Amino acid sequence: MADRNLDVYFRSGRFTTREGMMLDIPPSGFDWRAIGGVPAVVDPYAESLTQQFPLGTKLVYGSRVYRYGRMGATAGVAGNLYQAVVPLAGHIDEVIGTHAVGATAIDFTPAVAATDDLALNELQDGFFHPNDEAGEGLEYLIKSHPAITGAVLGVLTLIDPLVIAIVAAGTGTVTHNKFRSVIIHGSPPTAPVAGVAKRAVTAAYYCWLQVGGPCSVLTQGTLVVADFCVPSATVDGAVMPSAAVETDGPPVGHVMAVNVDTEYSQIWLTIES
């Protein structure tokens, strides 16, 4: 396979902080070294207006696991479950032009609705995948792109070079990074679970979302110790007991200590390990 479309400033790495936390920084179009590199101390309860790490950066603090994300347009609530941004119809099955094997610059034309416009690097660290014709079944990490207006062709720069050429009849889909502009988990959900907010996060600020280990989470219904819980079907941002995973959705974690309805129970999150 061809080399990734990265220079040294954007490459990934695994680091240990002064306090013994493990930090996994993924390949990214975000130049995290330019803002000072890896800090000696990382606070999983902190928030910031400016980005410090690539979205999806993983932090391991003992038995607790976090992912670096950005809150959406509404302020975040501590102990609430959050989900990825809802996929837009105007970003699905759109015109992408023809491209040769090894290409890292991909034409993409979102649909005409104003909501389909893309801000500068909005899709950074998200994914592009051909969904029809040659190359379908593969996906590629997005490095960067300019602001793109709906119905106007723009260029996505990829980290992963194309493995299979894209033909004239091909169409493609773009997906935001799961941790960009997260929103409170709907009931029922409208996108995959991202994690649990660990503080009251200012709207559009960067923060850490907990995805694994012991965590206090908003409760709906009567949980059962040692049983697993799932996203609530009636209360946004909460977890509820599960009757059947086939109908309730994917487990969020196992119950460690039960608190009553509307309070916060201790859950061993299993969103990620």
Side-chain angles (χ1 to χ4, degrees):
M1 182 176 179
D3 287 343
R4 297 292 191 276
N5 183 26
L6 292 169
D7 57 37
V8 67
Y9 298 105
F10 305 108
R11 294 189 184 276
S12 58
R14 175 170 291 178
F15 307 90
T16 304
T17 70
R18 185 178 67 199
E19 296 176 326
M21 296 184 186
M22 296 293 295
L23 194 67
D24 282 348
I25 299 179
S28 171
F30 175 69
D31 185 1
W32 54 275
R33 298 174 191 266
I35 50 87
V38 178
V41 176
V42 178
D43 181 2
Y45 298 101
E47 66 170 10
S48 65
L49 174 61
T50 57
Q51 187 173 354
Q52 297 178 317
F53 304 101
L55 295 174
T57 293
K58 184 177 182 179
L59 177 68
V60 180
Y61 178 17
S63 58
R64 287 174 284 181
V65 183
Y66 304 85
R67 290 281 186 171
Y68 192 69
R70 183 175 186 265
M71 190 57 58
T74 302
V77 181
N80 275 220
L81 191 64
Y82 280 78
Q83 67 172 49
V85 65
V86 181
L88 291 175
H91 294 170
I92 298 171
D93 196 29
E94 303 299 335
V95 176
I96 54 177
T98 60
H99 301 284
V101 171
T104 55
I106 304 298
D107 297 339
F108 182 76
T109 306
V112 70
T115 52
D116 298 323
D117 292 355
L118 289 164
L120 174 68
N121 289 334
E122 182 180 336
L123 294 173
Q124 186 176 77
D125 299 331
F127 290 92
F128 157 77
H129 75 271
N131 59 264
D132 192 24
E133 303 294 338
E136 59 190 0
L138 297 170
E139 73 288 325
Y140 303 91
L141 188 61
I142 298 171
K143 180 178 181 181
S144 61
H145 63 82
I148 303 174
T149 302
V152 178
L153 184 149
V155 177
L156 307 176
T157 299
L158 307 181
I159 288 176
D160 304 320
L162 289 185
V163 176
I164 297 175
I166 295 174
V167 299
T171 54
T173 295
V174 292
T175 309
H176 288 77
N177 183 287
K178 186 170 77 167
F179 303 103
R180 179 180 294 277
S181 300
V182 298
I183 60 176
I184 198 162
H185 199 286
S187 53
T190 53
V193 174
V196 176
K198 296 310 300 173
R199 58 165 293 152
V201 183
T202 304
Y205 270 49
Y206 294 89
C207 63
W208 292 97
L209 300 167
Q210 190 170 345
V211 296
C215 181
S216 176
V217 187
L218 178 63
T219 301
Q220 179 262 312
T222 303
L223 298 178
V224 178
V225 170
D227 200 356
F228 64 84
C229 57
V230 298
S232 172
T234 58
V235 177
D236 293 352
V239 295
M240 69 176 188
S242 176
V245 69
E246 293 84 359
T247 56
D248 290 342
V252 170
H254 297 95
V255 180
M256 300 175 68
V258 175
N259 290 86
V260 298
D261 183 47
T262 75
E263 294 188 359
Y264 292 76
S265 298
Q266 188 76 341
I267 308 298
W268 188 283
L269 294 181
T270 56
I271 302 169
E272 293 184 40
S273 57

